Amino acid sequence: MIPINLIQSTAETLMDKAAIEIPQDYLDGLQEAARTEDGDLSSFVLKAMLENYEAAKEDRRAMCGDTGVPRWFVKMGNEAQVEGGMVALEAALRRATANATNGVPLRPNRVHPLWRTDHNNNVGIGAPEIEYGYEPEGAWVDLITVHKGGLFGSDYRMLFPSDGIQGIKRFYLDSLMAFGKRGLACQPAIIGIGLGGSKDICMTLGKRASTLRIVGSRNSDPEIAKMEDEFKELGNSIGMGAMGFVGKNMVIDCNIEVGYCHTGGMPMSVHAFCLSSRRAVARIHADGQVEHRTDPDWFTDYQRRETIDWEPMREAAE
Amino acid sequence: MSAPREIILSTTPADEEIADLRLGDVVYLDGLMYTAREGVYMRALEEKANIPMELPSQSAANFHCSPAARINPDGSFDMGAVTATASFRFAKWLPEWMAKTGAKLIVGKGGMTSKDYKEYFVPNGAVYLSTVGYGTGALLGRGVENVEAVHWNEELGLAQAMWVLKCNRMGPFIVASDMYGDCLFERENAKIAKNVARVYEGTRPATLKRYGESDDRTDEVI
């Protein structure tokens, strides 16, 4: 049984880490970009961003003034138990979000869409979002917080089988061109592409591809992994860099996730996780041990399963 | 590759200092700067509330920003990170705001169009400074020496309130418009445009169109 106060205190630490500490995989990617960038202005921008990450850590202040919209992904082993149950867990995550907004401080970004009511704590109707995933074994709970920023850089479109790969490429490029200009997407970014699913799940897949997979990871389907490499290169061949200035670094990595869709369609979404790719993860074990990491490790074989039942032993033997 | 020119500028700059700025220069600001975005614009311009500062004598620098900050129970302020929000959305209010407040430096994200610059920035002797990144929130936060005041917090909330920041070499910012009304981002777009046809070669336009691709609403999208 995992104590509820441990859930809340861990969640508060994660809120702080996500806002302040750039994840190592993104930092490595950006340092590589800074090394290869030869555009005068975009090179200056990347160097300033690298200094900014250092300043944030030294001062323990948020990397970016727009601290995004905090949200939670909760992954649980099949045997996990939380004191007070899932309603208590949700309350703990909402409380941690509110406390950290005042504590770090974060910008109180969350408002009512019509009345613009701001509780000054990033909590409100449907906020923070809390989404769940499960794994076949274990009594642990993974808390993952993502503070995704940006009003720009995402788009959805219903494509069809006849649009093919060339149609997918066109919509990908359209999204980069539209939101890369003037740097509205705050690139170079981790671009996530969702293919398939129903319309809402298509958006979810793309968002999770950008925020829950790290730079350098590859889809377990080797053909999709090849597309990820190709799309990264394609995005970086536009000639556009940071802030939309001439440059060669637009895409730090491109992650693609798929889900089965209607036989007549091929829905597609594109998401951009920005220069302040805020994510932090902790695993809380049943014995109260807490392990921090930055890789959400969300897309396991179980999450991508195609079969009715989960029979890992049989699959491993094949 | 050449490093950009670096300039320290007052938030109440002289006309000749502004005239000297060139596209792509890097600027650090000294003096008072206030945040104003849609909330402040609507309250001051549409609801005609009295602006609680002496403008432009106290500050001629308008920051399109909401800080990550808090107001403590004792009334003091803690400023964390500071970055800008996209400015193009404020074109509706900016001409009247500039005329009313004498703002010379509009500081934000992404700039405006050269049409905006030529129509009301140049006649008001104003230029646009872009934040860098985006965004260098921690570096800019370091440049805030003090929060002098927060106006209209009760009416507008923390994110839309008018924050008055005392800047000490606050930056970096990039000069994104000049006294000719030229636009740094449009200049860069034009350079990138040469490449676009090559990158799109072989790609396929979507089978199902959307309004926006046709502006004629009597058209079908198939």
Side-chain angles (χ1 to χ4, degrees):
Chain A
M1 182 81 77
I2 296 172
I4 194 67
N5 59 8
L6 185 60
I7 299 268
Q8 188 181 320
S9 62
T10 305
E12 284 176 10
T13 304
L14 289 173
M15 290 290 294
D16 182 85
K17 279 177 165 296
I20 295 170
E21 299 169 16
I22 192 75
Q24 190 63 44
D25 58 285
Y26 185 88
L27 179 60
D28 291 345
L30 199 72
Q31 278 168 339
E32 177 62 15
R35 201 181 57 73
T36 57
E37 187 54 74
D38 52 16
D40 286 1
L41 286 166
S42 41
S43 196
F44 171 80
V45 175
L46 297 184
K47 285 198 189 93
M49 288 309 301
L50 290 171
E51 281 174 37
N52 186 64
Y53 301 141
E54 287 303 312
K57 275 186 271 193
E58 274 174 36
D59 298 4
R60 296 307 295 172
R61 66 169 93 220
M63 290 180 260
C64 182
D66 184 346
T67 51
V69 283
R71 61 191 294 156
W72 294 94
F73 297 89
V74 179
K75 179 85 86 75
M76 305 175 81
N78 196 36
E79 285 80 44
Q81 285 188 304
V82 174
E83 179 194 358
M86 302 313 287
V87 169
L89 177 136
E90 293 200 332
L93 296 182
R94 287 169 82 90
R95 200 170 295 122
T97 302
N99 289 351
T101 298
N102 187 255
V104 176
L106 307 179
R107 192 204 276 179
N109 269 333
R110 292 280 198 167
V111 300
H112 189 286
L114 289 170
W115 324 130
R116 316 309 289 181
T117 316
D118 192 337
H119 298 155
N120 282 339
N121 64 6
N122 281 316
V123 176
I125 301 173
E129 297 86 351
I130 304 176
E131 295 171 66
Y132 298 92
Y134 305 94
E135 292 291 327
E137 283 171 15
W140 45 262
V141 172
D142 276 357
L143 296 181
I144 305 164
T145 191
V146 169
H147 304 180
K148 195 176 175 305
L151 310 173
F152 315 101
S154 303
D155 206 356
Y156 164 86
R157 187 153 196 164
M158 179 56 87
L159 302 179
F160 297 92
S162 61
D163 286 307
I165 294 288
Q166 293 303 335
I168 292 172
K169 276 189 188 167
R170 166 78 66 118
F171 184 52
Y172 169 70
L173 287 170
D174 279 353
S175 303
L176 296 184
M177 293 295 293
F179 301 119
K181 285 180 182 155
R182 295 174 185 253
L184 291 184
C186 299
Q187 75 270 15
I190 306 174
I191 303 295
I193 296 178
L195 284 172
S198 40
K199 186 176 286 177
D200 56 335
I201 297 304
C202 181
M203 289 299 279
T204 299
L205 283 168
K207 176 150 275 184
R208 291 179 177 181
S210 68
T211 60
L212 298 183
R213 276 184 49 196
I214 63 170
V215 175
S217 68
R218 281 292 167 262
N219 194 294
S220 54
D221 180 328
E223 290 306 309
I224 295 176
K226 266 190 238 167
M227 279 173 67
E228 292 175 336
D229 287 337
E230 191 191 343
F231 276 47
K232 176 184 173 183
E233 200 184 309
L234 179 65
N236 286 334
S237 72
I238 295 172
M240 193 190 291
M243 289 179 75
F245 296 144
V246 171
K248 52 168 75 161
N249 289 284
M250 176 101 184
V251 182
I252 291 292
D253 211 343
C254 179
N255 299 332
I256 301 175
E257 288 297 328
V258 300
Y260 275 37
C261 59
H262 190 288
T263 184
M266 189 172 63
M268 171 168 172
S269 73
V270 180
H271 298 254
F273 203 21
C274 65
L275 273 161
S276 299
S277 284
R278 289 171 289 258
R279 70 169 125 75
V281 189
R283 174 161 295 188
I284 309 176
H285 293 275
D287 64 3
Q289 192 199 341
V290 179
E291 290 171 292
H292 284 273
R293 60 182 208 262
T294 53
D295 182 356
D297 191 24
W298 184 271
F299 288 100
T300 57
D301 291 343
Y302 180 73
Q303 300 301 322
R304 292 187 181 124
R305 70 194 181 279
E306 294 195 53
T307 53
I308 294 174
D309 290 312
W310 176 242
E311 298 176 81
M313 294 312 289
R314 198 186 52 126
E315 288 190 0
E318 276 173 359
Chain B
M1 208 163 52
S2 60
R5 186 168 73 143
E6 293 195 1
I7 291 166
I8 296 173
L9 192 67
S10 162
T11 55
T12 50
D15 289 345
E16 54 272 23
E17 289 174 302
I18 290 185
D20 183 49
L21 297 173
R22 294 195 296 254
L23 296 185
D25 282 349
V26 170
V27 168
Y28 294 84
L29 292 176
D30 276 338
L32 293 186
M33 174 155 70
Y34 60 88
T35 70
R37 51 183 298 175
E38 59 270 60
V40 168
Y41 293 148
M42 283 192 264
R43 186 159 166 77
L45 302 178
E46 292 171 18
E47 295 164 25
K48 311 282 181 202
N50 286 327
I51 299 170
M53 286 181 79
E54 287 299 319
L55 301 177
S57 62
Q58 284 184 295
S59 174
N62 173 186
F63 196 8
H64 290 155
C65 161
S66 313
R70 68 164 166 256
I71 301 179
N72 296 316
D74 67 2
S76 63
F77 313 107
D78 273 314
M79 177 67 71
V82 189
T83 36
T85 197
S87 299
F88 73 89
R89 297 170 287 163
F90 309 133
K92 176 181 169 187
W93 298 290
L94 266 181
E96 192 185 343
W97 180 259
M98 288 167 95
K100 198 176 172 99
T101 65
K104 300 278 183 198
L105 304 172
I106 302 295
V107 185
K109 172 181 175 181
M112 318 287 293
T113 65
S114 53
K115 186 165 170 283
D116 289 304
Y117 295 143
K118 289 186 165 81
E119 276 180 13
Y120 55 87
F121 275 67
V122 174
N124 283 294
V127 292
Y128 187 97
L129 304 180
S130 179
T131 51
V132 172
Y134 312 88
T136 54
L139 293 178
L140 295 180
R142 277 184 174 179
V144 178
E145 192 179 308
N146 190 38
V147 178
E148 300 281 305
V150 182
H151 301 297
W152 294 347
N153 175 49
E154 255 176 48
E155 296 85 347
L156 301 174
L158 278 182
Q160 293 282 342
M162 189 174 191
W163 292 74
V164 184
L165 313 176
K166 187 175 180 197
C167 309
N168 180 6
R169 281 198 63 125
M170 184 178 178
F173 301 102
I174 294 182
V175 176
S177 83
D178 61 17
M179 272 299 98
Y180 307 98
D182 289 332
C183 171
L184 176 66
F185 291 109
E186 289 174 16
R187 188 189 79 185
E188 295 291 297
N189 286 345
K191 290 181 191 166
I192 292 159
K194 294 171 195 153
N195 218 5
V196 172
R198 184 189 57 74
V199 177
Y200 271 77
E201 204 175 284
T203 66
R204 190 180 189 285
T207 303
L208 181 69
K209 303 284 178 282
R210 305 197 277 204
Y211 284 132
E213 290 166 348
S214 161
D215 283 328
D216 181 353
R217 263 61 181 179
T218 62
D219 275 354
E220 290 189 274
V221 292
I222 60 169

